[in-house]
Amino acid sequence: MQLLRMLTIWDQAAKDFDINLLITGKGVSTVRETHGGFGNIITVNTHNLSIDEVNTRFVEIKRAGNLRCRSLKLFFVGKIPNDILMEKGLKQKGPTFMLPHDGINICAVPFGSHEWCFMIEKRTGHGVPLRALSFIPFMDHQLKLEVDIS
């Protein structure tokens, strides 16, 4: 499954912050800053990124300005991989898949017949935690390795 782009939305806490720091790193990124009454919202759209580089890019952006991620959206080519999503614990409701969880919103939504989006959103607290990225389909995670050397 080919990753088309990664779109992230961040809350900005620091007043003096150079958003150009968000352009550097994995992939090719564009940044848009929106000023509001309750602070600034930063949208980072990253292309030319592999699925294995998503974690790295997420951390690069977070650390660049001590930002809080409100939303992470990954857009893929193809149809929603039903079996993989159900294996990760997502439940199907019509054409969408959702993870039954109170604290965080994780879902997969079709965009036409040849594209779909995997979303992780948490607008309260500290935002999307890094460990939530383990629900991303096609991402290899090695949780534990045991080797008997005797």
Side-chain angles (χ1 to χ4, degrees):
M1 200 65 55
Q2 179 188 353
L3 178 65
L4 291 173
R5 65 191 175 282
M6 175 174 118
L7 180 101
T8 52
I9 301 173
W10 304 82
D11 285 336
Q12 178 185 355
K15 294 188 190 248
D16 297 326
F17 173 66
D18 182 10
I19 64 168
N20 291 319
L21 294 173
L22 301 175
I23 295 172
T24 60
K26 298 281 183 189
V28 177
S29 296
T30 56
V31 179
R32 185 179 77 225
E33 184 176 20
T34 308
H35 303 282
F38 297 104
N40 297 339
I41 302 294
I42 297 172
T43 304
V44 181
N45 198 357
T46 305
H47 296 270
N48 299 339
L49 195 68
S50 74
I51 191 69
D52 296 328
E53 296 171 322
V54 168
N55 274 358
T56 303
R57 185 65 186 135
F58 183 86
V59 172
E60 287 173 346
I61 297 169
K62 186 174 182 70
R63 289 186 179 163
N66 195 19
L67 303 173
R68 181 176 70 102
C69 184
R70 301 174 85 185
S71 178
L72 166 72
K73 296 177 183 173
L74 300 172
F75 294 88
F76 294 93
V77 173
K79 295 185 180 202
I80 290 182
N82 300 359
D83 295 342
I84 294 172
L85 293 175
M86 286 195 260
E87 189 177 290
K88 296 244 181 204
L90 281 78
K91 307 291 183 205
Q92 187 169 7
K93 279 189 169 184
T96 64
F97 286 80
M98 297 183 75
L99 182 71
H101 194 282
D102 291 333
I104 195 164
N105 182 22
I106 298 177
C107 62
V109 180
F111 276 63
S113 60
H114 300 294
E115 187 176 335
W116 63 281
C117 176
F118 187 82
M119 298 184 281
I120 304 174
E121 295 185 335
K122 186 167 191 290
R123 297 172 185 256
T124 59
H126 296 290
V128 174
L130 185 60
R131 68 182 177 275
L133 275 62
S134 66
F135 283 95
I136 297 172
F138 317 114
M139 189 166 285
D140 292 330
H141 290 281
Q142 186 168 346
L143 300 176
K144 189 175 183 182
L145 176 64
E146 292 184 21
V147 179
D148 185 14
I149 56 173
S150 55

